[in-house]
Structure formats: structure tokens, C-alpha cells
């Protein structure tokens, strides 16, 4: 297997993320030391999981493009499996679900061979038309609309939207000569995750006014604002190092990522509230399930991707 | 040779299927017994049940695990299945017809004497996917003869969705494994069966499981 190291700015950014992890771990150790009576198990689990996530992400970028695409495919698989295990499904649809899983392999195969047009339309058109047909062939009409609706929503969220992350790695170097596709990927994922953390922390410290009390009572206007400020400042600061974005565009992206990241988060919260569960799983200690961790990315990934392609890769892909 | 094959089968194939294709959410892992003699009692919805239960234990305990399985289904149908059941899964075969209680007690008793871990499905058959049916009392007979042996209830959810009875295609679903507190012979058969049923209903109710519409 050929190992292609990512560009220098990406390596520096990754080291920076490890630096932040060290600071975070130090702060938690400090908390545990100064307040030994409080239980910090969840916080400790959470930071431990972050170490694992960042390391897997780093290895993915260091290995090579194919490994990265396969790993993101695996992430989609776990996310879709978690989704389908949470929602009510029909026994009659077992074979349809298997086809939905197969769609993951195909969607990531288009990325692997760089077939941009097919990557764009495969799930919204071909899978969208095929799955209901397969369901009709089985002949069970009771609950048909709900079954096909929930299945396609899950596929869009966990497969189509997430698959925009690895496609960033396939973008031609000419659009981003300083750091390439991996620079864009690190920029997007880092800003989305730091937005989650900044929102959570400012919300905990200053939170007064609830934004969406019926869906996620923990979300406050102050938290949202804190996320927007931190993310936009970082978006501006990091743009010259990792991306081709102009100042105006980096401001727009900072706002876009922080706002839509929030929307992705509360969308999954609404799903969980509807199903009457707290976490989508327990695969990631301290975070919950896969869906709990990737919720914001399901919104930010496609929006960031198409913003970038529109302004910087016009005419270079199709 | 038999051991090597069994190790390879469980170490490579079963682990990959159980961890990656299915994926387990285990609750109460600390209640999993470290050694025999123990009776593991579980609900039965899928051929995957036994593989999942066996994969909960470390590979070195593989030769202590004894699933109790129907002789007519596993041994009398075809020689390959019989070889697989006996050599790979290490089953204790029992006949399902009436009047075979003594044979069942003798074989299971011998395994418990050897500090082995029995895996029993008191529902008797896989039945309808994701439905709990009434328990048969064989387990109570066994418990009466071995009152000091702990009975560990394990509730499995989702495996009947992944591979229900009568289906050959495995569809990936996360599955829940809820391990309950051990219980012991209570002094009466009906008392034990009542307690066991109660435990399973409590375990089943403790999770928030999605509807599986037949």
C-alpha cells in the first residue's frame, strides 16, 4: 500500500488538533484534581473518545485516498445500521434494507473512481426510484409510505450527505494548490466539531434563553451565538493556511457551518425525541452513538462541499 | 485439529460477523460469569443467538461453552450440519419428544459437573421473530438437581430481525444483549419459572426497542 503524506499545512493543522486535545485533557485532569468529589466520568470518556476519533481521522488522511474513502464508507455503514436499528421497520422489507446497504458500497465506489456526475445523482435519483419499486414487488402496502420515507431520509442523511466528506479528497489540486482536498476536509471537519464544542461550552457557561425548548432543552441562544463567533473567527484564521477561500467566503462559511451544524444537531435530536431515546447508541463512550457524533456533519458536509465547488471548482469536475 | 478449526471459526469469522456486520450493545457485561458451572438462559429468535452468546466469552473459554440443542434438527438432518453442531459448536444434543427428561438431565448434569457453561433456550424453538413465548420447564428440573449452580438470564433483541427463522439472508442490525442478575433454585419449579419469566419481562421492558412489524 502506497502511503502519500498529506500536504505540510494539513500536517501542521493535525498537530494543532492534537495540541488542543492535550490542552483539553490537561484541563480535565485539573478539574478532577481540584474537585475530586465531582464525578467526571462522562467528561473523561468523552475526551478519551476524541483521542480515538482524531487518531483514526489522522491515520485515514496519512494512509491514502483509497483507505480514507473505505473508512468513510464504513462510517456511513455504521451510521445507517444504527439508524435502521432505531426506527420501526417492517419484516417484509428485509430485502429492501439489504439493497439500501448495497447502495453504500456503490456510492463510495463512484467516489473511488471519481465519477462525479453519478456520485451526485445516484442516491437522489436511482436509489430513490429503485427502493420503492423493490418494496412494491414485495407487495406489502400496509405502512408503505412510512417505510420508504424513513428509509430514504436515513440514506440521504447517513450515506449521501456523509459521502461528500471523502469526495473532497478527490477534488483536483488546481482548486486548492496550498493544501489540496485534505486541507478542505480538515477545515470542514475541524470547524464543524469545534462549533459543537464551542456551542456546548458557551451554552453551559452563559446559557439563559432556550432556542428549541421542545426538541433540545439544552440548546440556548447564548450557546448558538458563542458557536457562531468562535467558528467564524477560526474559519477566517484557518482559511489562508488550508483553503483557497477569500476573506468574504471564509466569513460566509464560518456562518454557514455554525448555523447549519446547529440545525443538523437538532434534527437528530428531534429524531431521538420522536423515538423516545436519549442517545442513538453507546458505540462512542461519552458521546453516545455514531449518529450523535455525526449529526452536525450531515448538514455541513454537503453544504460546504457545494459552496466550495461552486466558487472554486467551477467547470473542473463534470 | 478440532480445536484449531473451532478457534479459527470463532476467532475470525464469528467475531467479524458479530462485531462488524451485526454490532452488539451489551448491558451488564460485569454479570457475565467468569467460569462454570453456570446455566445461561436466553430467549431464542435466530441461529445467530448461540454465536453471539458464545462470542461474549473469551476464546480460551470456548471449550467450556455447551449450547443445548435439538437432536432432531441438528444431528438427524444432514451429516455436515451434525459435524458442525458437534465439533464446531460443541452442542449437547437433546431429544424434543416427551419422556426424554432423564437423558436431558443426565447430559446437562454431566456438563455442569465438569464446570461447563450451559446455554439453554427455554422457549424450545426460535419461533416468531422478536416474540417471547412461554418457557418450557426443563430448566427448572435441571435447577432442582443443581441448586447451587447460578442461572444467568440474557435477553437478546434484534437478532431475530437480522436473521429470523426461515430466512437465509443476513441483514445488518445493531443488537442488544441485556445480561441480568443471576438467580438460583427457589425451592419449587413453578416458583423458579415464575421468577425467570418475570426477569425476562423486566429485561425486555428495560430497553426501548423499535417495533418490528410482521
Amino acid at each position: 500500500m502506497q502511503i502519500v503524506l498529506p500536504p505540510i499545512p494539513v500536517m501542521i493543522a493535525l498537530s494543532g488538533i492534537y495540541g488542543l486535545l492535550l490542552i483539553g485533557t490537561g484541563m480535565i485532569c485539573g478539574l478532577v484534581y481540584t474537585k475530586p468529589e465531582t464525578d467526571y466520568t462522562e467528561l473523561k470518556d468523552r475526551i478519551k473518545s476524541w483521542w480515538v476519533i482524531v487518531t483514526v481521522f489522522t491515520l485515514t488522511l496519512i494512509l491514502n485516498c483509497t483507505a480514507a474513502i473505505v473508512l468513510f464508507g464504513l462510517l456511513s455503514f455504521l451510521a445507517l445500521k444504527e439508524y435502521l436499528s432505531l426506527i420501526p421497520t417492517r419484516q417484509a422489507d428485509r430485502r429492501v434494507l439489504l439493497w439500501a446497504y448495497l447502495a453504500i458500497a456503490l456510492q463510495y465506489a463512484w467516489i473511488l473512481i471519481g465519477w462525479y456526475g453519478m456520485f451526485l445523482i445516484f442516491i437522489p435519483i436511482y436509489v430513490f426510484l429503485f427502493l420503492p419499486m423493490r418494496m412494491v414487488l414485495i407487495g406489502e402496502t400496509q405502512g408503505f409510505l412510512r417505510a420508504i420515507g424513513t428509509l430514504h431520509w436515513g440514506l440521504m442523511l447517513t450515506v449521501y450527505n456523509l459521502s461528500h466528506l471523502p469526495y473532497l479528497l478527490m477534488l483536483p489540486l488546481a482548486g486548492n494548490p496550498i493544501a489540496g482536498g485534505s486541507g478542505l476536509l480538515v477545515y470542514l471537519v475541524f470547524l464543524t466539531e469545534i462549533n459543537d464544542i464551542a456551542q456546548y461550552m458557551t451554552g453551559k457557561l452563559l446559557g439563559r434563553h432556550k432556542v428549541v425548548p421542545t426538541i433540545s432543552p439544552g440548546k440556548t441562544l447564548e450557546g448558538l451565538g458563542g458557536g457562531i463567533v468562535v467558528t467564524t473567527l477560526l474559519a477566517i484564521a484557518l482559511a489562508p493556511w488550508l483553503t483557497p477561500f477569500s476573506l468574504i467566503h471564509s466569513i460566509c462559511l464560518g456562518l454557514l457551518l455554525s448555523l447549519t451544524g446547529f440545525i443538523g444537531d437538532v434534527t437528530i435530536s428531534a429524531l431521538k425525541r420522536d423515538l423516545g431515546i436519549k442517545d442513538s447508541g453507546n458505540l462512542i463512550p461519552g458521546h453516545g452513538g455514531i449518529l450523535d457524533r455525526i449529526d452536525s456533519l450531515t448538514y455541513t458536509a454537503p453544504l460546504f462541499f457545494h459552496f466550495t465547488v461552486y466558487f472554486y471548482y467551477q467547470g473542473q469536475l463534470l | 485439529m478440532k480445536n484449531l478449526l473451532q478457534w479459527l471459526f470463532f476467532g475470525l469469522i464469528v467475531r467479524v460477523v458479530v462485531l462488524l456486520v451485526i454490532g452488539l450493545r451489551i448491558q451488564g457485561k460485569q454479570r457475565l460469569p467468569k467460569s462454570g458451572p453456570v446455566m445461561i438462559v436466553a430467549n431464542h429468535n435466530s441461529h445467530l443467538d448461540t454465536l453471539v452468546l458464545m462470542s461474549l466469552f473469551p476464546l480460551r473459554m470456548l471449550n467450556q461453552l455447551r449450547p443445548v440443542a435439538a437432536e432432531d434438527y441438528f444431528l438427524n438432518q444432514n451429516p455436515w450440519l451434525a459435524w458442525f453442531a458437534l465439533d464446531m459448536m460443541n452442542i449437547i444434543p437433546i431429544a424434543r419428544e416427551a419422556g426424554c427428561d432423564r437423558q436431558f438431565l443426565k447430559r446437562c448434569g454431566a456438563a455442569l459437573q465438569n464446570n461447563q457453561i450451559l446455554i439453554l433456550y427455554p422457549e424450545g424453538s426460535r419461533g416468531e421473530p422478536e416474540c417471547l413465548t412461554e418457557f418450557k420447564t426443563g430448566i427448572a428440573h435441571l435447577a432442582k438437581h443443581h441448586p447451587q449452580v447460578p442461572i444467568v438470564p440474557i435477553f437478546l433483541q434484534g437478532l431475530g430481525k437480522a436473521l429470523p427463522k426461515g430466512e437465509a439472508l443476513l441483514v445488518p442490525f445493531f443488537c442488544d444483549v441485556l445480561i441480568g442478575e443471576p438467580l438460583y433454585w427457589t425451592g419449587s419449579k413453578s416458583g423458579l419459572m415464575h421468577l425467570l419469566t418475570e426477569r425476562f419481562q423486566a429485561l425486555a421492558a428495560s430497553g426501548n426497542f423499535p417495533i418490528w412489524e410482521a
Side-chain angles (χ1 to χ4, degrees):
Chain A
M1 187 158 57
Q2 199 194 345
I3 292 178
V4 188
L5 287 182
I8 303 292
V10 176
M11 302 289 268
I12 296 171
L14 289 170
S15 330
I17 296 173
Y18 274 105
L20 284 178
L21 270 181
L22 274 176
I23 295 171
T25 312
M27 277 163 66
I28 290 170
C29 289
L31 268 178
V32 173
Y33 185 73
T34 47
K35 292 183 192 166
E37 68 282 354
T38 326
D39 183 26
Y40 287 110
T41 319
E42 203 196 323
L43 215 53
K44 280 194 266 181
D45 279 349
R46 200 176 276 209
I47 195 93
K48 270 186 218 157
S49 296
W50 271 124
W51 279 98
V52 176
I53 294 170
V54 171
T55 304
V56 172
F57 185 64
T58 307
L59 285 177
T60 318
L61 285 176
I62 288 179
L63 275 176
N64 61 34
C65 208
T66 311
I69 293 168
V70 171
L71 262 157
F72 277 106
L74 192 65
L75 185 69
S76 273
F77 169 68
L78 290 175
L80 181 66
K81 187 168 62 161
E82 193 171 83
Y83 173 77
L84 291 176
S85 308
L86 289 175
I87 64 164
T89 42
R90 303 186 302 171
Q91 201 188 334
D93 291 336
R94 279 172 45 81
R95 277 173 170 72
V96 184
L97 300 187
L98 217 51
W99 281 106
Y101 282 117
L102 186 69
I104 304 174
L106 288 171
Q107 173 71 0
Y108 282 84
W110 312 138
I111 305 175
L112 215 54
I113 60 172
W115 189 356
Y116 183 63
M118 191 49 123
F119 158 77
L120 283 184
I121 64 169
F122 178 63
I123 291 175
I125 295 184
Y126 291 110
V127 176
F128 178 75
L129 298 175
F130 177 79
L131 292 181
M133 182 192 82
R134 189 67 191 83
M135 242 178 220
V136 164
L137 287 179
I138 291 168
E140 177 62 62
T141 52
Q142 182 85 41
F144 171 78
L145 176 62
R146 202 202 57 201
I148 193 63
T150 50
L151 181 57
H152 202 261
W153 189 67
L155 266 175
M156 288 296 286
L157 216 58
T158 60
V159 185
Y160 187 66
N161 291 0
L162 278 190
S163 69
H164 285 76
L165 293 169
Y167 209 103
L168 287 169
L169 298 173
M170 298 299 285
L171 294 178
L173 193 63
N176 185 21
I178 8 173
S182 53
L184 294 170
L185 182 62
V186 171
Y187 185 80
L188 163 62
V189 174
F190 175 71
L191 288 179
T192 304
E193 299 306 322
I194 215 75
N195 179 57
D196 280 2
I197 297 167
Q199 267 187 26
Y200 175 80
M201 284 176 40
T202 31
K204 279 262 163 181
L205 288 173
L206 312 165
R208 294 277 181 283
H209 305 89
K210 293 182 179 8
V211 196
V212 278
T214 53
I215 294 163
S216 196
K219 295 271 181 297
T220 60
L221 222 51
E222 291 78 2
L224 183 57
I228 292 174
V229 172
V230 171
T231 309
T232 309
L233 288 178
L234 280 168
I236 297 168
L238 291 173
W241 302 94
L242 292 169
T243 72
F245 303 144
S246 66
L247 179 66
I248 299 290
H249 283 163
S250 58
I251 295 171
C252 289
L253 277 172
L255 295 171
L256 183 81
L257 294 182
S258 50
L259 279 168
T260 59
F262 171 81
I263 298 171
D265 191 340
V266 292
T267 307
I268 296 296
S269 301
L271 167 75
K272 288 188 290 184
R273 199 150 275 253
D274 184 18
L275 296 170
I277 51 173
K278 190 180 160 287
D279 286 337
S280 67
N282 58 6
L283 212 62
I284 319 174
H287 296 254
I290 294 273
L291 287 174
D292 293 315
R293 192 60 276 140
I294 59 154
D295 48 8
S296 316
L297 280 171
T298 59
Y299 266 66
T300 59
L303 291 169
F304 174 88
F305 181 92
H306 291 294
F307 182 100
T308 310
V309 166
Y310 182 80
F311 285 109
Y312 295 90
Y313 293 86
Q314 194 79 268
Q316 295 180 44
L317 287 170
L318 275 172
Chain B
M1 188 61 192
K2 174 191 148 184
N3 269 339
L4 182 70
L5 272 179
Q6 207 192 6
W7 271 55
L8 287 176
F9 175 66
F10 276 92
L12 296 176
I13 300 169
V14 175
R15 298 255 144 162
V16 170
V17 171
V18 168
L19 291 179
L20 192 69
V21 181
I22 305 173
L24 301 181
R25 292 188 285 229
I26 306 170
Q27 276 178 44
K29 194 157 192 186
Q30 73 283 358
R31 301 199 188 108
L32 206 64
K34 304 276 180 295
S35 63
V38 177
M39 291 180 244
I40 301 277
V41 174
N43 56 325
H44 198 22
N45 283 309
S46 167
H47 279 318
L48 293 170
D49 293 340
T50 312
L51 295 175
V52 164
L53 289 172
M54 289 172 85
S55 74
L56 296 175
F57 293 91
L59 276 179
R60 66 186 151 73
M61 289 173 74
L62 212 49
N63 56 0
Q64 295 175 43
L65 303 173
R66 304 299 303 275
V68 178
E71 194 171 87
D72 57 294
Y73 186 95
F74 287 98
L75 300 192
N76 303 344
Q77 287 199 83
N78 85 56
W80 288 105
L81 185 62
W83 168 81
F84 179 77
L86 287 174
D87 282 17
M88 286 288 114
M89 304 297 289
N90 220 351
I91 66 160
I92 298 178
I94 53 157
R96 281 194 277 202
E97 309 91 71
C100 296
D101 294 354
R102 286 183 62 191
Q103 171 217 38
F104 165 75
L105 281 178
K106 199 174 141 217
R107 289 180 182 170
C108 293
L112 289 175
Q113 291 284 321
N114 288 325
N115 293 332
Q116 290 185 318
I117 298 172
L118 294 185
I119 297 174
L120 296 140
Y121 301 110
E123 286 173 286
S125 144
R126 285 169 295 162
E128 287 295 311
E130 302 298 283
C131 291
L132 197 58
T133 50
E134 202 184 324
F135 288 172
K136 296 193 179 355
T137 52
I139 173 86
H141 290 270
L142 196 58
K144 187 183 176 185
H145 285 82
H146 304 272
Q148 77 292 354
V149 174
I151 303 168
V152 178
I154 299 186
F155 183 74
L156 303 168
Q157 189 281 138
L159 292 162
K161 290 160 83 170
L163 187 71
K165 188 174 178 176
E167 290 275 356
L169 274 180
L170 198 165
V171 177
F173 279 103
F174 274 103
C175 297
D176 296 275
V177 178
L178 312 181
I179 305 170
E181 295 282 353
L183 47 133
Y184 294 87
W185 171 243
T186 52
S188 82
K189 277 177 195 164
S190 63
L192 180 71
M193 292 317 291
H194 188 70
L195 186 63
L196 201 58
T197 312
E198 241 178 41
R199 282 289 170 87
F200 267 91
Q201 279 162 354
L203 283 174
S206 72
N208 184 347
F209 303 125
I211 314 156
W212 177 240
E213 289 160 8

